[in-house]
Amino acid sequence: MERLSMNLSSYILLLYLISGGGMVVRSQSEKTWCVAKPSTDEVALVDNISYACSIVDCTILQEGHSCFYPNNNISHASIAMNLYFQSRGRNNWNCDFKNSGLIVSTDPSFGGCIYPFGNY
């Protein structure tokens, strides 16, 4: 009976995690970045830029710097959110931004704009 209970508990835990109800545990050495969800509205994007850039140096978003283009809110918010996420230790909660952040494992860098990784 104990083995059945253990298997049932494992099965329920697996279903919970597959359903998206659980927190994904990542290794701190796994490369991850924080970007804005594509569905995020413009007001939230601007709020995210303002918040992140009030805490971290967002110089790379300014005109004449490597990540100014494309000059739009989704791009700038993603970079600012990632700067914040990296500087705070890459914890899940550091990419929440009122549920508008998304942790990705594929490097979002493009062209000359390099998304920092690590203790930025």
Side-chain angles (χ1 to χ4, degrees):
M1 183 67 170
E2 183 178 322
R3 183 170 182 188
L4 177 61
S5 175
M6 180 66 123
N7 286 340
L8 182 57
S9 297
S10 298
Y11 181 71
I12 291 171
L13 177 62
L14 179 63
L15 286 176
Y16 181 71
L17 292 173
I18 289 173
S19 71
M23 181 179 358
V24 176
V25 178
R26 297 179 278 98
S27 163
Q28 280 299 98
S29 64
E30 179 184 358
K31 287 190 172 189
T32 54
W33 295 264
C34 176
V35 297
K37 288 181 181 176
S39 60
T40 305
D41 65 66
E42 292 293 312
V43 171
L45 293 172
V46 171
D47 288 347
N48 291 349
I49 295 166
S50 295
Y51 176 73
C53 293
S54 73
I55 296 169
V56 297
D57 180 8
C58 291
T59 301
I60 64 173
L61 296 177
Q62 295 174 357
E63 191 167 4
H65 291 270
S66 60
C67 296
F68 179 71
Y69 291 106
N71 183 16
N72 59 52
N73 287 332
I74 188 97
S75 177
H76 287 192
S78 292
I79 295 160
M81 292 162 67
N82 183 63
L83 289 168
Y84 178 86
F85 175 69
Q86 299 297 329
S87 73
R88 296 297 183 252
R90 296 185 319 276
N91 300 299
N92 290 349
W93 56 87
N94 297 127
C95 185
D96 186 61
F97 292 91
K98 297 182 181 176
N99 202 31
S100 65
L102 180 66
I103 296 174
V104 298
S105 58
T106 301
D107 187 349
S109 299
F110 58 92
C113 179
I114 307 302
Y115 276 60
F117 167 77
N119 294 330
Y120 175 77

